[in-house]
Amino acid sequence: MTKQSLSLQDVEILYHKPLLDLVYEAAAVHRAHHDSRDMQLCTLLSIKTGGCAEDCKYCSQSIYNNTDLEKEILLKTDEVLESARKAKEAGSTRFCMGAAWPRVLDGRAFDRVLEMVSGVKAMDMEVCCTLGMLTEDQAQRLKDAGLTAYNHNLDTSEEFYENIITTRTYQDRLDTIENVAKAGISLCCGGILGMGESQEDRIALLHRLASLDPQPESVPINMLVPVAGTPLEGLEPLDIFEWIRCIAVARILMPQAMVRLSAGRLAISKEAQALAFLAGANAIFTGEKLLTTPNPGKDADTDLLAELGLQPRVPFKEDDSAQEAA
Ligand code: SAM
Ligand code: DTB
Ligand code: SF4
């Protein structure tokens, strides 16, 4: 399920190009495949918070970490659909539901998630879930309920992975990704930057993501949010130009994907975000909260889009065609 044509060395060479040449090249690729004025606005909701049995060292929701997060049971379907309606009213075209589950278990809770998926789909929004590991049969049931995309990240390079998570393997992640693809659901797959990984790890992650076959339809680029009580809380923030490089390389290697600025935007200046948009990032999560951590509010993002002359993207747009000359 991986493409062999792209070598790690190709990605290395690209990554090390002079920064502005790299951004320029990424901007050209972006404009050839997307309307560069479009920004997809997505809303996240944590439908089941905390108490997760995986040991992801970055995560506020892991039982292995000493964070002061309140554990919550699965939200009611009505509450979730009400949030989706509000998100749509606020301009979001994609609604993503996250659960702090290591894996999906068949039973009443999953049946309720399927109900939520159908409900959001009926509102004419793109609907995405991130629920942990998934079997092929569960992926198919999500597809039948109307799921547009499933988010499951590689998170980092295979080499660095064991420093971050020990309770599930890299291969477990690849298996879930394969199950998602088999069910014909679009894959949303990316990683986290700034967890103390090396440049080689970031290059290897980008190489791995671009080598998935089919490539992800959406690539979330998370900047670590150093949550108090996690082993990564004291880490120095990653140099912002490394973040820009990763976005540009993702855009060049995955020209058709939505490159999604995910966690960490609150700590990133609007100038750096503008450079990321030039380098091909074309989706953001909006609203005051991501899953459990804060995010720039609606007003800040509305102002930023207006200042940059960007517009919210319409749902279900197929835009892999060259943009009209502006
Ligand atoms: N439990 C599911 C799973 O891990 O597959 C889904 C939810 S999980 C919170 C989704 C993704 O959010 C993780 O894979 C990780 O990439 C990202 N994430 C979680 N906590 C983060 C943090 N503190 N900073 C940056 N990204 C984070
Ligand atoms: C992804 O890669 N980033 C989003 C989405 N997928 C689900 C989640 C970011 C979560 C950030 C930490 C939090 O808010 O708990
Ligand atoms: Fe659980 Fe997902 Fe957090 Fe890992 S990232 S601890 S799997 S909620």
Side-chain angles (χ1 to χ4, degrees), residues 52 54 56 58-59 61-62 99-102 168:
C52 183
E54 301 286 353
C56 310
Y58 49 77
C59 188
Q61 308 198 67
S62 165
W101 287 332
R168 69 158 77 130

Side-chain angles (χ1 to χ4, degrees), residues 58 99 101 130 132 152-153 155 168 192 222-225 263 291:
Y58 49 77
W101 287 332
T130 180
H152 201 67
N153 293 334
D155 272 358
R168 69 158 77 130
I192 312 181
N222 295 284
M223 184 74 122
L224 176 73
V225 178
L291 290 172

Side-chain angles (χ1 to χ4, degrees), residues 44-301:
L44 263 176
L45 177 68
S46 181
I47 58 170
K48 193 268 162 196
T49 305
C52 183
E54 301 286 353
D55 71 348
C56 310
K57 295 205 173 26
Y58 49 77
C59 188
S60 62
Q61 308 198 67
S62 165
I63 53 169
Y64 292 83
N65 298 335
N66 195 16
T67 63
D68 56 11
L69 189 76
E70 288 287 321
K71 187 180 162 188
E72 286 170 33
I73 57 168
L74 184 66
L75 294 183
K76 295 202 165 56
T77 306
D78 287 353
E79 285 177 85
V80 172
L81 296 184
E82 180 57 18
S83 296
R85 199 186 52 73
K86 284 194 184 138
K88 185 175 177 177
E89 248 172 46
S92 258
T93 55
R94 184 162 168 131
F95 191 70
C96 180
M97 295 173 273
W101 287 332
R103 64 174 68 245
V104 171
L105 296 175
D106 291 322
R108 284 192 43 214
F110 184 43
D111 293 345
R112 276 167 59 194
V113 172
L114 295 171
E115 216 174 77
M116 293 169 194
V117 169
S118 313
V120 177
K121 181 66 191 289
M123 291 178 195
D124 217 18
M125 290 177 97
E126 295 182 19
V127 46
C128 174
C129 277
T130 180
L131 314 169
M133 290 181 277
L134 206 60
T135 65
E136 197 181 335
D137 175 64
Q138 290 162 343
Q140 193 56 57
R141 291 178 69 196
L142 282 165
K143 168 79 180 169
D144 296 343
L147 193 76
T148 313
Y150 194 79
N151 168 239
H152 201 67
N153 293 334
L154 288 180
D155 272 358
T156 188
S157 70
E158 188 162 7
E159 294 72 25
F160 192 66
Y161 184 84
E162 63 184 24
N163 297 295
I164 302 298
I165 300 147
T166 66
T167 50
R168 69 158 77 130
T169 65
Y170 214 68
Q171 188 57 48
D172 288 334
R173 289 186 180 255
L174 292 168
D175 291 346
T176 291
I177 288 168
E178 191 161 353
N179 291 337
V180 169
K182 280 189 198 149
I185 299 172
S186 294
L187 175 68
C188 171
C189 185
I192 312 181
L193 308 176
M195 298 193 292
E197 76 284 347
S198 65
Q199 218 170 43
E200 288 70 39
D201 291 312
R202 290 189 282 279
I203 292 167
L205 169 66
L206 289 161
H207 174 250
R208 203 66 188 250
L209 289 171
S211 303
L212 291 171
D213 188 13
Q215 283 192 338
E217 167 258 350
S218 155
V219 183
I221 307 283
N222 295 284
M223 184 74 122
L224 176 73
V225 178
V227 177
T230 64
L232 303 186
E233 72 172 303
L235 283 189
E236 283 291 306
L238 180 71
D239 182 299
I240 202 67
F241 290 139
E242 282 292 305
W243 179 73
I244 298 286
R245 273 185 197 282
C246 290
I247 290 160
V249 170
R251 167 52 67 220
I252 294 167
L253 297 181
M254 293 170 277
Q256 290 158 338
M258 303 299 293
V259 175
R260 198 172 297 278
L261 303 188
S262 304
R265 244 174 6 96
L266 199 56
I268 297 173
S269 73
K270 64 179 189 176
E271 293 83 355
Q273 291 186 55
L275 192 54
F277 298 149
L278 183 64
N282 60 350
I284 54 173
F285 284 111
T286 55
E288 308 264 310
K289 203 151 105 170
L290 288 160
L291 290 172
T292 67
T293 63
N295 191 47
K298 180 170 183 289
D299 293 349
D301 282 333

